[in-house]
Amino acid sequence: MKANNYQGALQKPLGSGFTAASTSTEVIKGIDLTGKIAVVTGGNTGIGLETTKTLALAGATVIVLARNMEKAKANLEDITNVEIEEVDMMSPSSIDTFAEKFISSGRPLHLLINNAGIMWVPLQRDGRGIESQLATNYLGQFHLTARLWTALKQANGARVVNVSSLGHHNSEFNFEDPNFENRTYETLQAYGQSKTASNLFAMELDNRAKDFNVRAYSLHPGSIGGTELGRNADPEQFKKLGFLDEDGNIRPEVLAALKTIPQGAATTVFTATSPLLNTIGGVYLEDNDIAELLPTDPSVQTNAKLHQSGVQQYSLDENSAIRLWNLSEEMTGVKFNIN
């Protein structure tokens, strides 16, 4: 039987030698990506931009998918080896247009970095009626990966990297009401559900795709200062979570725990390029290593601190992963046949 990560069977740290403080430049040192092609969604801001820079400097041709072309051109103008394509991850036709263009070019795809994401948004729905965080943070990943499958297979050694989050601790996937049609909308619960879905997808994709030399992973980049992810947040939410004091100032202990953008991009770059992962896939990583699996009983002590690190078992559940794959095909109208 070939190993898979169902129920977190492979969630054991490797001892990579890197830490939470390691930067993207440090983890890619000595790795040459000349001749490799990468797609990075949302690769023009925050940790996506840092990921793009790092991969391009290592020799890869990086195709950045961005919603705002003007902003992307401005942010990427000094980086060589970069192509920019206008894609909105909430728009199925936008994803299809790019994928058709890429597939028709005949190029292989060595790295697909599903980085784009939104957070803290009020209840919004896309044109299909799908809740916006689920649509952007997960279903867009599923749709894009499915459409680019032949190019990934053609690479004969590709990796798909889903930038997930510790936020998956906020919620399991709700199969009964994924779009908050019959329950009260809570933005962090919706975010958590979308990230749990991203973990389940990476695990199931790896299990189905590894025979074609395509491996898949999910990861938590860390809590990072200076990104745009919190631009829609209500300061009152940050106060409730203990990030801000009563005067609206960030608490010193919170500030001290934040990663820089180069540190935040490191786990993405490590996951995409490290030879330590050549024979393992379907795992969830954090701080440049495979994360620890959390026990279902929170009273059981582990090195990982619940709600601060580690991966929840429900986001690596076999039945949920298979069920989600089928539901994703239904919700997107995209059949993802791996053959």
Side-chain angles (χ1 to χ4, degrees):
M1 183 180 283
K2 293 180 180 173
N4 57 51
N5 197 32
Y6 287 154
Q7 317 312 134
L10 305 176
Q11 284 295 144
K12 296 173 181 64
L14 297 164
S16 69
F18 297 112
T19 68
S22 300
T23 65
S24 53
T25 305
E26 289 166 350
V27 302
I28 205 170
K29 193 174 179 184
I31 294 173
D32 183 7
L33 298 180
T34 303
K36 305 292 186 187
I37 298 170
V39 166
V40 182
T41 66
N44 61 310
T45 62
I47 63 169
L49 175 57
E50 192 68 24
T51 300
T52 296
K53 285 180 188 173
T54 307
L55 297 177
L57 280 170
T61 297
V62 185
I63 302 165
V64 172
L65 308 191
R67 280 186 301 178
N68 186 325
M69 288 294 280
E70 262 182 53
K71 185 176 174 182
K73 284 173 184 172
N75 289 351
L76 296 162
E77 64 179 348
D78 297 328
I79 309 170
T80 55
N81 302 337
V82 168
E83 302 170 19
I84 309 170
E85 296 285 349
E86 187 172 6
V87 176
D88 181 349
M89 297 304 290
M90 274 181 71
S91 165
S93 61
S94 171
I95 293 170
D96 286 340
T97 298
F98 163 71
E100 284 163 17
K101 179 180 177 181
F102 185 85
I103 295 296
S104 66
S105 76
R107 294 189 287 180
L109 179 58
H110 302 89
L111 298 173
L112 173 55
I113 315 289
N114 287 314
N115 166 81
I118 57 173
M119 188 180 186
W120 302 105
V121 295
L123 179 58
Q124 301 169 51
R125 302 186 188 280
D126 69 5
R128 301 165 292 186
I130 296 169
E131 187 275 320
S132 65
Q133 293 187 83
L134 182 61
T136 304
N137 299 348
Y138 167 60
L139 286 172
Q141 293 181 348
F142 181 89
H143 188 153
L144 179 65
T145 307
R147 291 297 193 221
L148 293 174
W149 168 247
T150 55
L152 288 163
K153 186 168 66 168
Q154 185 185 335
N156 192 28
R159 291 188 188 182
V160 177
V161 177
N162 292 349
V163 179
S164 181
S165 172
L166 182 72
H168 80 271
H169 287 210
N170 293 335
S171 179
E172 299 185 39
F173 191 87
N174 189 315
F175 286 96
E176 280 62 52
D177 189 15
N179 287 312
F180 291 85
E181 291 165 333
N182 301 305
R183 55 182 169 139
T184 303
Y185 181 76
E186 205 289 302
T187 188
L188 288 180
Q189 195 175 44
Y191 180 74
Q193 172 181 252
S194 72
K195 295 302 185 177
T196 287
S198 191
N199 296 347
L200 289 166
F201 172 48
M203 180 181 70
E204 185 61 22
L205 174 62
D206 185 80
N207 191 47
R208 297 184 186 208
K210 62 190 175 187
D211 286 345
F212 299 94
N213 210 8
V214 177
R215 305 310 302 253
Y217 311 85
S218 58
L219 65 95
H220 170 49
S223 298
I224 302 144
T227 74
E228 297 181 359
L229 198 56
R231 64 184 178 271
N232 297 303
D234 177 351
E236 290 304 313
Q237 291 175 315
F238 282 137
K239 283 181 185 176
K240 280 181 192 169
L241 290 167
F243 297 161
L244 303 181
D245 62 23
E246 286 309 307
D247 298 322
N249 300 312
I250 189 164
R251 295 185 185 277
E253 63 272 22
V254 173
L255 192 60
L258 292 178
K259 289 185 178 184
T260 64
I261 288 177
Q263 290 170 337
T267 304
T268 303
V269 173
F270 173 85
T271 306
T273 63
S274 174
L276 293 175
L277 296 172
N278 282 350
T279 59
I280 189 171
V283 289
Y284 170 96
L285 296 95
E286 63 188 11
D287 296 339
N288 305 297
D289 208 334
I290 296 174
E292 186 172 351
L293 181 68
L294 292 168
T296 50
D297 179 356
S299 68
V300 176
Q301 294 301 305
T302 67
N303 291 327
K305 296 184 179 124
L306 194 63
H307 300 302
Q308 292 181 353
S309 59
V311 59
Q312 298 283 10
Q313 293 194 30
Y314 59 67
S315 77
L316 300 173
D317 178 70
E318 177 180 3
N319 292 333
S320 296
I322 295 167
R323 188 178 178 189
L324 179 66
W325 190 286
N326 295 332
L327 178 64
S328 302
E329 290 187 328
E330 209 177 287
M331 292 178 82
T332 61
V334 176
K335 289 297 286 180
F336 192 173
N337 295 320
I338 292 188
N339 51 42

